[in-house]
Amino acid sequence: MSDPSILLEITDGYAAVTLNRPDRLNSFTPEMHAQLREALAAVSGRAEVRAVLLTGAGRAFCSGQDLSERRFGPDAPPPDLGASLDANFNPLVRALRTLPKPVVCAVNGTAAGAGANVALACDIVIAARSASFIQAFCKLGLLPDSGGTFFLPRLVGTARAAGLALLGERLPAEEAARVGLIWRCVDDAALVEESRGLARHLATQPTRGWPRSSAPCRPRRPTPWMRSSISSATCSASSGAPRTTGKA
């Protein structure tokens, strides 16, 4: 029996949720999405869980979609990436944004593509100094999906958001903290204790008021514009470069 793709631990009033495919840099598969949705749904309704901590196992936080599951080639049908967004990534981002508890994300390594934007969907992002954020979509002719076109300009402004989206350059965690993409960058050895300490602290706070106090920073219900921004791209591959159509 294979190891679960999602690990769930409830302790000290918070739920630690770990992406657990370290051999694939915690890239997402449909099964992993299903397990994560199940975990988030489980902790959402448990009164003893007052905060959530999301992190990754191994040397990466998440590298986005596992492309090895896709068939690319002259005889393969065009991949419908929009269907994957609608079925998996968009519901995940909305689940994180509407969870009635504060969500801390501990980025332990590379956060690339949709993995970067899943991290940004959390309320407080703390990253190891060796970690980095990469909007890798432009390398495939895509727009930043999984909320990227919504989160990036709001966090770092339109100029930096455009540079990150159009160039796909690696943004080190220390720089990400400096420009306001994330809350804090800490030494690698301190990440686990810092992030768990933060989750423990939040669990002791009056989290029943969290939906109201967090409203200015985290809309409880995505607006129509946010919904269209989360669903940013569909792709059709042909013998040439992939074609993309954006809703954002």
Side-chain angles (χ1 to χ4, degrees):
M1 183 175 180
S2 60
D3 293 334
S5 298
I6 299 295
L7 302 179
L8 175 61
E9 175 193 5
I10 297 178
T11 180
D12 295 335
Y14 71 91
V17 181
T18 304
L19 310 181
N20 188 43
R21 298 185 73 225
D23 56 323
R24 301 296 301 174
L25 301 181
N26 298 319
S27 56
F28 275 101
T29 63
E31 294 77 15
M32 184 175 174
H33 272 290
Q35 291 181 31
L36 182 52
R37 285 196 300 269
E38 182 179 345
L40 293 177
V43 302
S44 177
R46 295 184 63 164
E48 72 273 24
V49 175
R50 299 171 59 83
V52 175
L53 172 63
L54 178 66
T55 191
R59 61 190 179 91
F61 169 70
C62 177
S63 59
Q65 172 66 39
D66 187 347
L67 295 178
S68 69
E69 292 204 334
R70 309 280 185 188
R71 289 184 61 229
F72 294 97
D75 298 326
D80 186 353
L81 302 188
S84 177
L85 291 177
D86 290 340
N88 294 313
F89 284 104
N90 296 349
L92 170 57
V93 171
R94 294 189 184 111
L96 290 169
R97 297 298 282 183
T98 57
L99 200 69
K101 308 166 194 288
V103 183
V104 177
C105 182
V107 179
N108 54 298
T110 300
N117 295 332
V118 167
L120 299 181
C122 300
D123 297 301
I124 299 178
V125 183
I126 182 171
R129 203 167 301 279
S130 65
S132 60
F133 298 81
I134 309 171
Q135 295 291 325
F137 304 95
C138 60
K139 309 298 184 182
L140 300 174
L142 301 174
L143 299 174
D145 60 38
S146 304
T149 55
F150 179 82
F151 300 129
L152 288 173
R154 284 161 175 75
L155 291 169
V156 298
T158 55
R160 284 195 175 97
L164 291 169
L166 295 176
L167 300 177
E169 294 180 347
R170 174 183 175 272
L171 184 70
E174 195 164 7
E175 179 69 4
R178 189 189 72 80
V179 301
L181 186 72
I182 64 173
W183 180 61
R184 180 177 290 178
C185 171
V186 300
D187 290 337
D188 288 32
L191 179 66
V192 172
E193 186 51 41
E194 288 271 356
S195 59
R196 286 184 173 265
L198 181 57
R200 282 194 298 269
H201 169 74
L202 289 172
T204 67
Q205 300 305 297
T207 55
R208 183 171 294 182
W210 175 251
R212 292 184 293 275
S213 63
S214 67
C217 299
R218 184 174 82 165
R220 306 308 301 165
R221 294 183 179 180
T223 63
W225 195 88
M226 179 181 173
R227 286 194 293 269
S228 66
S229 296
I230 290 175
S231 304
S232 68
T234 57
C235 171
S236 296
S238 63
S239 57
R243 301 190 305 275
T244 62
T245 59
K247 298 179 183 179

